[in-house]
Amino acid sequence: MPTRDNLPQADGEKENKIETLETKSENTIDTDQESSTTEETKADNPKIEVLEAETKKSNDDTNVSSEEDTSEDSHDHVQNQMDEAVAEHSEDESTIERHDIEKKDYHAMDKEELVKELRYLIKSEKIQAIKEHVEEIKSEFNEKFNEEVEQKKEEFLADGGDIIDFYYSTPLKKEFNSVYFDYKEKRNAYYQNLKKDLQENLKRRLELIEELKGLLNVDENINTTYNHFKSIQERWRNAGAIPRDKYNTVWNTYHHHTENFYDFLHLNREFRDLDFKHNLEQKLKIIERATELAQETDVNRAFRELQLLHKMWKEDLGPVGKEYREPIWEKFSALTKQIHENRQKYFKELDKVYEKNLEAKQSIIAKIIEVSSTHPHNHSGWQQKIKEIEALREEFFKAGKVPSNVNEETWSQFKTAVRDFNRNKNAFYKSLKKEQFENLNKKMELIKIAEDNKDSEDMAATTPLMKKIQADWKKIGHVPRKDSDRIWKRFKEACNSYFDRLHAERNEANKEEIASLEKKQAHIDALKELKLSGDTEADLNTIKENIATWKTLGRVPYKKKNIESEYNKVLDTLFQQLNLSRKETELIKYENKLNTLSNQSDDRALKNEQSFIRKKIDDVNGEIRQLENNLQFFKNTKDDNPLVKEVQKNIEKHRETLELWKAKLKKIKQL
């Protein structure tokens, strides 16, 4: 008997190794399949469960090595997976296609991107091939949306809302629900049609089994019977998928009766040996391809194609000669186990990556907790914290997958950390809103004052009031954002209404003041050209008339008030030409100043001037008293002492000044 390592070589060139593979797509299957039972059917028809009674044959010629004994459970496990995968694929051939659809990092996507990806999959891929993708997208979207709902609920309750009244949805959530509903409808429609087709195919295959069984009881030429058998095989291959729960039983029953037919065919060994040779050639090609897959670096692709090879081994090929059955099966089984182990090794390496991702996510959670541990006392501080948390959330979602056994726990820790931050933030803004509501009431009071006085005609009293409430407005803090623009518009309109009227009146007054300025400047120019006659009395009258005219010329703009000083300097020049006392000259000039003060809009200037003169009178009296006290130190000194004479001179000078200030005070009182 040939051994595993001493098998015949497949015929044909290398590029034509697997004929049946060339007629199939490179699509793959989910899980593994195949294990052995009887000596006759162990390699060609694994795990046979026949509908009718089956005679099991013993195998006294085959001795399994101790190494194979110890790995028997492992082989059985792999083969069971293969059986399940082939059954699943027989029902729905899209199971191999879903592996070719890129599964993106949905965890790192935001909600908008998830909706876009879901819509794309439904539009571009077969509806039956995207279940895993859709469910993962749904899970990620709901996790992110539920996190948002929790945050909004806490904000709602923080604002004093009742949990019974809470409801939250978004246009994006409604869009997602709509797209997902379309997916469910299309998928349900597909599987309803599939179920009907599967039942029809099952009926057809059972009929073919009955037809196969009948070949043993017909009385006809063996060539005719063999051709009939080939026709049944061809129709069987094209009969279509059947329900997965019936798959192994139906296929094993079919192979059982195929074996019976080959036993019957021993009367014509030429036909049987020809089939055995063809099947052996094809199975050797499958083994060669499996050998290549054992070296494939893309272990997932290798694993999926291996499942397709098992499906071909079971479905497309019949038995081989008895002497080759066990060796080729053992070779194929060993390669299956090796590819499976390669895949397990790959997943172990992938687990290491997931562990690193877990460390990264735990570090991010720790940073979130650290950021949340300090609580700012102002809006800008919290805004900065919010930006930091948002950046950490983005980093968390982009950190990649973690081991599945800690996925829920990690996600829970993340949500708790973010929720704690949001609760502290909401508590701050709740207190801030209370303060803002108080500020709103204060500003509403200022609005009432502004609106009550915006039409006032008493400009002197209203202007300082309006300026004060504007200053008070600036001192009051923020109000709720929804009220901010509205109340500012009301306050601004009331203030603008008043100050527009005030400015209009002042502009009109300014025109008169500018005209007065031009007249006064012309008057000064004329006064500079005035020639006195030399007659003191006549010249004094001329100067007084000039002053009287000056009084009638009106007020000038505030910025040009220095024209009064210019006018007084010209008067001083004229008075110097007269033989008048200092007191007379000063009083004449002072009358002009009083005239200017009396023309102002309020009497505060005159009051200030009166207070100023009284202070001067007090100051001069104080100086006189001090000088008189100083003379007491010289009571035994002669009057012609220079120091005594100087003090007496100063006393006299201060008394003259005192008389002048008293005279000015008298004139103010006469107004």
Side-chain angles (χ1 to χ4, degrees), residues 4-5 7 32-33 68 75 78-79 82 283-296 302-303 306-307 309-310 313 327-343:
R4 294 188 295 181
D5 299 321
L7 297 174
D32 318 54
Q33 169 183 315
E68 290 173 335
H75 276 291
V78 173
Q79 216 54 58
M82 288 290 180
K283 289 189 175 182
L284 288 174
K285 290 176 182 179
I286 288 177
I287 289 173
E288 288 182 25
R289 181 55 184 158
T291 302
E292 294 175 355
L293 292 179
Q295 307 302 319
E296 173 66 55
F303 187 70
L306 174 68
Q307 294 171 51
L309 295 179
H310 273 269
W313 185 290
I328 64 171
W329 171 245
E330 288 179 353
K331 181 66 174 179
F332 188 38
S333 180
L335 290 169
T336 297
K337 185 172 182 291
Q338 182 180 344
I339 295 170
H340 182 79
E341 288 173 349
N342 291 345
R343 185 166 177 259

Side-chain angles (χ1 to χ4, degrees), residues 2 84 215 336:
E84 293 169 4
L215 291 180
T336 297

Side-chain angles (χ1 to χ4, degrees), residues 115-128:
V115 173
K116 182 179 178 181
E117 180 67 14
L118 177 60
R119 193 185 297 279
Y120 169 80
L121 288 173
I122 295 172
K123 180 180 179 181
S124 306
E125 305 292 348
K126 291 182 179 179
I127 203 70
Q128 68 273 22

Side-chain angles (χ1 to χ4, degrees), residues 195-210:
K195 182 178 180 180
K196 180 180 178 182
D197 292 341
L198 293 175
Q199 291 299 325
E200 291 177 356
N201 295 340
L202 174 62
K203 180 181 177 182
R204 189 178 301 116
R205 288 186 183 275
L206 292 176
E207 290 172 351
L208 288 173
I209 290 174
E210 292 300 317

Side-chain angles (χ1 to χ4, degrees), residues 25-72:
S25 71
E26 278 193 340
N27 295 334
T28 50
I29 314 174
D30 273 324
T31 49
D32 318 54
Q33 169 183 315
E34 231 170 303
S35 96
S36 60
T37 52
T38 66
E39 175 193 1
E40 291 285 339
T41 59
K42 175 180 190 181
D44 302 309
N45 304 293
K47 294 186 70 70
I48 292 182
E49 300 172 13
V50 192
L51 289 174
E52 293 103 343
E54 175 187 359
T55 304
K56 296 186 179 180
K57 302 177 181 180
S58 62
N59 180 15
D60 297 330
D61 300 325
T62 304
N63 294 316
V64 182
S65 68
S66 60
E67 177 183 352
E68 290 173 335
D69 284 334
T70 58
S71 61
E72 183 176 352

Side-chain angles (χ1 to χ4, degrees), residues 400-554:
K401 294 183 179 180
V402 300
S404 58
N405 62 321
V406 295
N407 183 56
E408 288 297 327
E409 180 184 355
T410 305
W411 176 247
S412 177
Q413 291 173 351
F414 169 73
K415 288 196 298 183
T416 300
V418 174
R419 187 184 302 118
D420 289 344
F421 170 80
N422 287 331
R423 284 175 177 169
N424 292 329
K425 177 198 68 176
N426 293 339
F428 167 78
Y429 280 105
K430 181 179 180 181
S431 64
L432 188 62
K433 286 178 181 178
K434 180 180 179 182
E435 179 183 339
Q436 289 178 345
F437 185 74
E438 294 173 354
N439 293 339
L440 176 62
N441 290 334
K442 293 177 182 178
K443 288 192 173 183
M444 291 302 296
E445 293 175 1
L446 297 183
I447 289 174
K448 187 176 187 310
I449 295 173
E451 290 177 342
D452 288 346
N453 290 275
K454 66 187 178 86
D455 298 321
S456 173
E457 296 296 334
D458 187 357
M459 300 292 187
T462 305
T463 299
L465 175 63
M466 296 297 279
K467 289 182 178 180
K468 182 179 183 303
I469 63 174
Q470 285 182 322
D472 291 344
W473 182 280
K474 293 178 181 178
K475 295 175 184 177
I476 299 174
H478 294 288
V479 300
R481 184 178 300 177
K482 64 184 180 66
D483 300 308
S484 180
D485 291 341
R486 176 179 59 84
I487 64 171
W488 168 244
K489 184 178 179 181
R490 282 183 61 186
F491 184 70
K492 184 179 178 181
E493 285 177 353
C495 291
N496 286 349
S497 175
Y498 173 78
F499 283 107
D500 286 346
R501 287 194 308 110
L502 176 64
H503 293 154
E505 291 188 12
R506 286 184 175 177
N507 288 339
E508 189 63 33
N510 285 343
K511 293 179 182 179
E512 297 177 0
E513 290 176 352
I514 291 172
S516 296
L517 175 63
E518 293 174 353
K519 292 177 183 178
K520 285 192 172 184
Q521 190 61 55
H523 188 79
I524 290 174
D525 293 341
L527 188 60
K528 289 179 180 178
E529 300 297 326
L530 179 64
K531 302 295 183 182
L532 297 179
S533 64
D535 184 343
T536 300
E537 186 174 348
D539 290 339
L540 181 59
N541 288 333
T542 299
I543 292 173
K544 286 183 177 181
E545 289 173 1
N546 188 284
I547 292 173
T549 302
W550 178 269
K551 293 178 181 180
T552 64
L553 298 181

